Amino acid sequence: MSTNSSAPVALPSDMELVLKVIPMPADCNASGDIFGGWVMAQVDLAGSVIPARYAQGRIATVAVKEFIFKQPVRLGDILSFYASLTRLGRTSVTVKVEAYAERLNIQGRYTKVTEASLTYVAITEQGEPRPLPVHN
């Protein structure tokens, strides 16, 4: 866990809100914080939104180049996931995802809790890489 400040931050204006979710009690570890693996799964879902538009079909997560847990996610937090395109290749799309927690007892103020860089590849029904459709 990073030791970065949990001071409130502004939500990113240059990224797209792709997912909002509230963790539930079943997502907690023994300390009462949300499992890191649960957060990773949500980041993967959020990260897939933009690549799915480009791929117009099946995609697969092929790389997580960076994953930083900045602050714990707590029961009752409202998590907002923002994503932006960072690289568009022939068969792949790389995105940056940032997650912000709106704490249960401090509504309207956000703390950045996680950031990650993920790459997705467009695949055929057989699971083979395929070129992305041409976009104008």
Side-chain angles (χ1 to χ4, degrees):
M1 188 79 50
S2 173
T3 58
N4 293 345
S5 168
S6 62
V9 297
L11 295 174
S13 60
D14 59 342
M15 299 177 85
E16 179 182 352
L17 175 64
V18 292
L19 178 69
K20 279 191 111 128
V21 66
I22 301 171
M24 301 306 287
D27 306 317
C28 286
N29 62 25
S31 299
D33 294 325
I34 302 305
F35 285 115
W38 182 89
V39 174
M40 293 175 84
Q42 303 310 304
V43 167
D44 192 18
L45 287 170
S48 70
V49 171
I50 292 172
R53 289 185 196 140
Y54 284 93
Q56 298 175 6
R58 289 184 67 193
I59 59 173
T61 309
V62 297
V64 179
K65 296 181 183 144
E66 174 182 56
F67 208 107
I68 301 169
F69 293 101
K70 295 181 153 305
Q71 295 292 323
V73 175
R74 300 183 182 115
L75 186 62
D77 285 352
I78 300 169
L79 295 181
S80 299
F81 295 84
Y82 288 80
S84 63
L85 176 72
T86 58
R87 183 183 169 278
L88 186 59
R90 190 180 72 78
T91 63
S92 66
V93 179
T94 300
V95 294
K96 180 176 184 177
V97 177
E98 296 180 354
Y100 296 82
E102 186 175 9
R103 304 295 189 190
L104 178 64
N105 57 347
I106 311 173
Q107 297 291 301
R109 293 175 56 180
Y110 297 88
T111 301
K112 187 175 188 180
V113 292
T114 303
E115 63 183 53
S117 175
L118 303 97
T119 300
Y120 300 82
V121 169
I123 57 172
T124 65
E125 289 302 316
Q126 295 72 38
E128 299 295 323
R130 65 175 172 82
L132 294 168
V134 176
H135 289 329
N136 295 329

